[in-house]
Amino acid sequence: AQSVTQLDSQVPVFEEAPVELRCNYSSSVSVYLFWYVQYPNQGLQLLLKYLSGSTLVKGINGFEAEFNKSQTSFHLRKPSVHISDTAEYFCAVTYTGGFKTIFGAGTRLFVKA
Amino acid sequence: EAGVAQSPRYKIIEKRQSVAFWCNPISGHATLYWYQQILGQGPKLLIQFQNNGVVDDSQLPKDRFSAERLKGVDSTLKIQPAKLEDSAVYLCASSLYLTRQGVTEAFFGQGTRLTVV
């Protein structure tokens, strides 16, 4: 079965500290990978995507993610977070088998001063 | 460019009533999705259209939910009759294409928050 697992439901971190939000997926086919962010009372917006090519992808607001095919992971990282990064982050996977896009349950990043 | 438009933004209904949501995707986008997001959870795909054909509706509760995409553009999602557990945010999204040649990211609307009482 196709599934996307975000290993941490909540991640509290101090401002200017580094952060990693983890995402693993099940796969027997090729995938396309996305991270979306949802700020309070706002819609989902794309942070970054991996479609092909370099396994390290850079997105908006200083975020980056690395595609690891052998580990079936796509972890999101930022070297120094800001208060304004407080939001819910969702990992999403599009499976080429049926082109279905599945979301993880989300990780709530809470940045403390 | 204009984003994905959804209406209404909020809806409160009693259980067993019916409700409909409307979505206008970004112009030219072939793929349209409806997701259900229950509070504290990730979006769950209900139905996915490619133009006006259904690609996946495996998680759509077909005894009460229905969706159509008119002429491959606008879409409506209907619930009849509603249950308390249908309380959620219903998100519409669209993407330029989703084919064996490649995919593009989905753009999301603001969602419709449904409360069933």
Side-chain angles (χ1 to χ4, degrees):
Chain A
Q2 297 164 341
S3 64
V4 179
T5 304
Q6 291 185 243
L7 296 155
D8 307 293
S9 59
Q10 294 187 70
V11 174
V13 63
F14 284 103
E15 193 174 20
E16 296 183 8
V19 71
E20 178 179 79
L21 307 184
R22 297 178 292 170
C23 174
N24 286 88
Y25 60 92
S26 64
S27 177
S28 58
V29 298
S30 296
V31 295
Y32 300 97
L33 302 159
F34 306 86
W35 275 98
Y36 287 85
V37 60
Q38 188 173 37
Y39 297 104
N41 299 314
Q42 294 189 29
L44 285 154
Q45 54 182 282
L46 182 73
L47 259 186
L48 49 78
K49 60 188 177 186
Y50 171 77
L51 303 181
S52 65
S54 172
T55 57
L56 182 64
V57 293
K58 294 188 185 297
I60 61 172
N61 300 338
F63 284 92
E64 63 180 32
E66 186 155 21
F67 169 49
N68 188 320
K69 188 175 181 179
S70 62
Q71 304 273 341
T72 61
S73 68
F74 190 54
H75 300 334
L76 181 71
R77 292 189 284 262
K78 185 169 183 178
S80 176
V81 295
H82 302 289
I83 298 285
S84 58
D85 293 323
T86 294
E88 186 101 27
Y89 292 80
F90 294 95
C91 178
V93 179
T94 298
Y95 291 87
T96 56
F99 292 98
K100 184 174 177 178
T101 300
I102 296 177
F103 279 75
T107 297
R108 184 170 298 276
L109 176 65
F110 179 59
V111 182
K112 301 178 284 186
Chain B
E1 81 187 346
V4 176
Q6 288 188 250
S7 67
R9 287 294 312 277
Y10 305 92
K11 191 75 177 179
I12 301 175
I13 61 172
E14 296 183 349
K15 59 184 179 184
R16 291 187 288 274
Q17 285 188 321
S18 63
V19 65
F21 311 127
W22 174 82
C23 173
N24 180 232
I26 293 173
S27 177
H29 279 198
T31 310
L32 186 146
Y33 317 77
W34 283 102
Y35 285 89
Q36 179 193 59
Q37 187 176 18
I38 292 172
L39 188 64
Q41 299 181 19
K44 171 186 152 186
L45 181 66
L46 292 177
I47 189 166
Q48 181 172 321
F49 293 94
Q50 183 75 5
N51 296 309
N52 59 356
V54 175
V55 173
D56 188 287
D57 64 356
S58 57
Q59 296 198 89
L60 186 74
K62 297 180 186 67
D63 58 333
R64 298 184 301 106
F65 285 64
S66 64
E68 61 178 0
R69 189 173 183 194
L70 308 171
K71 299 180 181 178
V73 182
D74 291 6
S75 178
T76 55
L77 176 70
K78 296 179 182 177
I79 307 175
Q80 182 179 15
K83 292 185 176 181
L84 295 177
E85 59 260 36
D86 298 331
S87 293
V89 176
Y90 290 84
L91 298 166
C92 179
S94 70
S95 61
L96 186 58
Y97 56 81
L98 198 67
T99 69
R100 297 195 187 284
Q101 286 68 49
V103 306
T104 54
E105 70 268 27
F107 292 83
F108 283 81
Q110 291 283 77
T112 296
R113 183 177 298 276
L114 173 67
T115 303
V116 183
V117 298

